[in-house]
Amino acid sequence: MVFMKELLVYTTLECESCEEMAASMHKAKEEGADVVELCIDSFTFSHISQVELLLKQRTLPSIVSFRPNSPRNSCREDWKKTCMQVLKLAVELDVEFVEVDSEVACDEVVAELMTKRSSCKIIASSYVNGGNPTKETLCNLIINLQSTGADIIKLVIDVAYITDVAPVFHMLTHCQVPLIARAAGDRGLISQLLGPKYGAFFVCGSLGGKSTPGLPPLTSIKEVYKLEYVNPDTRVFGVISNPVGHSKGPLLHNPAFRHTGYDGIYVPLLVDNVKEFFRVFSCNDYAGFSVGIPHKEAAVRCCDEVDPLAKSIGAVNTIIRRHSDGKLIGYNTDCEACVTAIEDALREKEKTNGYASNVSPIAGKLFVLVGAGGAGRAIAFGAKSRGARVVIFNRKYERAKALAAAISGEALPYELLNNFCPEKGMILANASAVGMQPKSDQTPISKEALKSYELVFDAVYTPRNTRLLQEATEVGATVVSGVEMFVRQALGQFKLFTNGLAPVDFMRRIVYEQF
Ligand SMILES: O=C1C[C@@](O)(C(=O)O)C[C@@H](O)[C@@H]1O
């Protein structure tokens, strides 16, 4: 739906006072907002003249709203009176947008505001609670709101699953009136990030880098995603994971797309059920995916074809949708990423000791792996392929045993890890999520036990210097950070995503300078 050519980024301001509202407006401007929604219901004012002053002194184009569900609106009758007073004032002052909630947006109210207005646009809005809204539900709602004669329709929809966002995209594409649509909650984030692909002309961001569920920070809209460039042809990529907020993938792949002139966007995809995700987002535009915890194994079963290495590992961390026939092809870039990172660190050490060999420095070493999930499987296969003797510890012993059987390794009960010391100079790889933000005070193994290891690797990369790596450094082991594995697996993915070369130096610089 074409209404305004450029994309407008807005943020919602709920403040305790007029003064705070004015200050937040400045902040929003600094962070790149084009428009602010001033929720007048969020503060108490003794006289309407205070609101008048605020509106007259606004420093950004504004949406004036007064929502019925605000906690302050305990006295319903009084609330409606104040609401109408505020909306009329906003129209008289010719504020750019005046939002009328569906609870008051009957034809007469909107008609009255319309007759009074000069150039301000009337937005009729509704909040849809209850999850899983169908296309039909949304369509009927839009028709009702449209019948008021409002210029713009706004829907805020609570979603339970990421797949619930699909009807929102459908509405954005097909709605005959300008539509502002937002799927609220963690799983609704893509409604804002991918909205412009479907013609959204308004997207909402959060102020102050705060991670409001379902809203990207204003700064990331401008600096990371650059949503103003997203268009109907933009190909969608993303990381399918749960949790997903920790992933640095968007910070890396988006700049790399722009650096290489590739029309793509890479977004966090908070997915509960991978199969369902692929069933719903099945068009060719959804072109490629990173797969993170805990979906790497389940994702194999969603692929139409699986690369032989990934197949033998039994886990994929990359899925590409083949353009010619829409089939999903699975790969594993974790395996080489991890093993080469460890090999390079050991080779570097050998070099400084004046030793050089073509044989993998992992060959023959006792390789202790913690974690038998998707990443663990990739690392176990990689280590085995280089001739290491692999011993696996996992909280669920059965999984450790299954993986050990697959690679002819050994599995031991997790409780034995701290006392496991059959020899010195072992390699330790943590492929579990222990130590990952926000639980960064945790570590999978005691500091004392680390003394038996020559090299310690941690697949966790948020934080960069995990407690495990700090303690390993303290006991004198060589450490390899998950950041190194992260960048290597991402380089492999980028090549698959774009069917071209990855800008290696550029991507490395981002990871090491900005993370
Ligand atoms: O394990 C990881 C990390 C990741 O999930 C992320 O972006 O956090 C991306 C995956 O491709 C990779 O295998």
Side-chain angles (χ1 to χ4, degrees), residues 96-124:
E96 293 72 16
F97 303 95
V98 174
E99 181 171 332
V100 193
D101 189 272
S102 58
E103 284 211 22
V104 284
C106 63
D107 305 359
E108 299 93 78
V109 169
V110 175
E112 190 191 338
L113 295 175
M114 297 281 252
T115 53
K116 289 211 165 86
R117 72 176 178 164
S118 155
S119 60
C120 99
K121 302 267 180 251
I122 305 294
I123 304 174

Side-chain angles (χ1 to χ4, degrees), residues 194-461:
L194 301 181
K197 178 173 170 64
Y198 298 95
F201 63 97
F202 252 101
V203 294
C204 188
S206 63
L207 188 64
K210 260 193 271 158
S211 52
T212 309
L215 288 184
L218 283 174
T219 44
S220 78
I221 292 180
K222 294 280 166 175
E223 288 157 22
V224 178
Y225 298 102
K226 302 225 186 255
L227 293 187
E228 66 270 30
Y229 296 113
V230 172
N231 64 82
D233 295 329
T234 302
R235 288 190 173 173
V236 178
F237 298 83
V239 49
I240 295 175
S241 189
N242 190 350
V244 75
H246 67 282
S247 173
K248 303 272 192 201
L251 297 179
L252 181 59
H253 287 288
N254 286 304
F257 282 144
R258 282 192 299 277
H259 185 80
T260 52
Y262 188 93
D263 187 8
I265 180 168
Y266 183 100
V267 296
L269 299 163
L270 182 54
V271 171
D272 298 278
N273 181 327
V274 217
K275 197 164 173 217
E276 202 40 27
F277 174 83
F278 283 118
R279 188 187 64 76
V280 172
F281 294 103
S282 60
C283 79
N284 260 2
D285 281 1
Y286 286 76
F289 308 90
S290 307
V291 185
I293 41 167
H295 298 310
K296 292 182 186 199
E297 291 157 275
V300 175
R301 296 186 286 279
C302 300
C303 295
D304 300 295
E305 290 173 25
V306 181
D307 169 78
L309 173 68
K311 199 171 195 164
S312 58
I313 293 170
V316 294
N317 80 322
T318 312
I319 296 181
I320 306 298
R321 194 186 299 279
R322 193 160 55 203
H323 207 66
S324 56
D325 57 6
K327 294 246 191 284
L328 296 173
I329 322 295
Y331 299 88
N332 195 306
T333 66
D334 279 338
C335 178
E336 280 302 295
C338 170
V339 175
T340 58
I342 294 176
E343 282 179 328
D344 287 354
L346 288 171
R347 285 215 171 93
E348 197 55 39
K349 213 173 135 199
E350 284 177 354
K351 234 195 294 169
T352 49
N353 293 338
Y355 178 81
S357 156
N358 284 335
V359 179
S360 167
I362 297 177
K365 291 251 161 69
L366 196 56
F367 193 104
V368 176
L369 174 66
V370 180
R377 293 191 70 86
I379 297 170
F381 273 80
K384 182 72 190 173
S385 74
R386 303 306 209 264
R389 294 169 287 139
V390 184
V391 179
I392 304 159
F393 292 87
N394 189 64
R395 281 202 193 278
K396 286 187 187 140
Y397 186 41
E398 290 309 312
R399 277 178 78 90
K401 280 205 284 195
L403 178 55
I407 57 149
S408 309
E410 191 185 345
L412 288 173
Y414 198 81
E415 303 69 56
L416 301 186
L417 177 62
N418 280 333
N419 294 317
F420 183 71
C421 180
E423 62 192 57
K424 293 282 173 197
M426 301 184 288
I427 295 171
L428 177 75
N430 174 41
S432 76
V434 177
M436 190 168 106
Q437 266 162 9
K439 296 184 178 164
S440 41
D441 57 331
Q442 297 186 350
T443 179
I445 185 170
S446 73
K447 185 173 173 183
E448 187 56 30
L450 288 175
K451 291 182 180 155
S452 312
Y453 293 90
E454 176 189 2
L455 180 142
V456 175
F457 163 79
D458 199 346
V460 172
Y461 71 92

